[in-house]
Amino acid sequence: MIFTDEAKALYLLEKIGYYRLSGYWYPLLADKEKHTFKPDANFETVFSLYKFDRELRKLVNAEIEKIEVAIRVKMAYELSMAYHLFWIEDASLFSSSHNHLATLDKINEEYMRSNEEFIIAFKNKYSDPLPPACIILEITSFGTLSRLYRNLKPSKAKRDIAKSFALPDIVFDSWLHSLACVRNRCAHHTRLWNSLIKIQPLSPRRPQRTWLENNTTCSNRIYYVFSMIIYLLNEINPNHTFKQKLEELFAKYPNVDRAAMGFPPAWQNEPLWAK
């Protein structure tokens, strides 16, 4: 590998770490078994990919947060209206009692360690084990939110939640699970740029809104997640700027290979991605 500034490279290796950076020079290897680099492999390219990925995680995390907030509100409203304010504790509403108990344990942990003022005020005023859903869902993790939805028994309320995001409940469930996984990667500073998404989301067979026309698109790459985010944001806020922000990021780092992120050759022709 070429090092144009060895002192800077040594500093970055000390501060960021060899193994974290090695994920970004892996594509520059000519022989991945012998760990020999291509003739033009440059450490500056590696660091540029690292910086791109860092900014990408921040962007994706911010957009998923908007989706997460909208889902929290919808779940709290629909299920409280359909059942009661303490539906989270009602085992009869969930398919697996084992999973329900495990989720309740996680929620209780999050509740006990929360120092939010509204949680402290509730603890001081009431003796209930947990607050109503509209309160407790404000402090649960996205992963917990996903597990709650997944374990709900089939019902009109469950379908209505998914319908409000223009998806069937089984597809919405898989998207929720996948986005929670991606959100977790962002939160733990895990490489996103050319990674494989382990939790593969389902594709809507008869989408209610504009979706990908290319039905051969791999669902285990970040391009597919970008498409999911666009689809959901189109429903939550049609004036969102995610696509523009993404293009600005690509313009800032022109050497980034979109193909490594799962972008198909004719991705620009997809109506979902139209400007």
Side-chain angles (χ1 to χ4, degrees), residues 240-255:
H240 72 87
T241 57
F242 175 59
K243 287 185 287 188
Q244 294 92 312
K245 290 175 183 175
L246 199 55
E247 282 306 308
E248 288 169 5
L249 186 59
F250 281 122
K252 185 176 178 181
Y253 297 94
N255 293 330

Side-chain angles (χ1 to χ4, degrees), residues 17-28:
Y18 174 91
Y19 286 100
R20 182 174 293 274
L21 284 172
S22 66
Y24 300 96
W25 69 54
Y26 191 77
L28 305 182

Side-chain angles (χ1 to χ4, degrees), residues 35-52:
H35 297 278
T36 55
F37 288 92
K38 298 173 184 177
D40 58 345
N42 193 304
F43 186 79
E44 290 301 319
T45 302
V46 174
F47 186 49
S48 179
L49 283 173
Y50 171 78
K51 290 190 293 181
F52 167 80

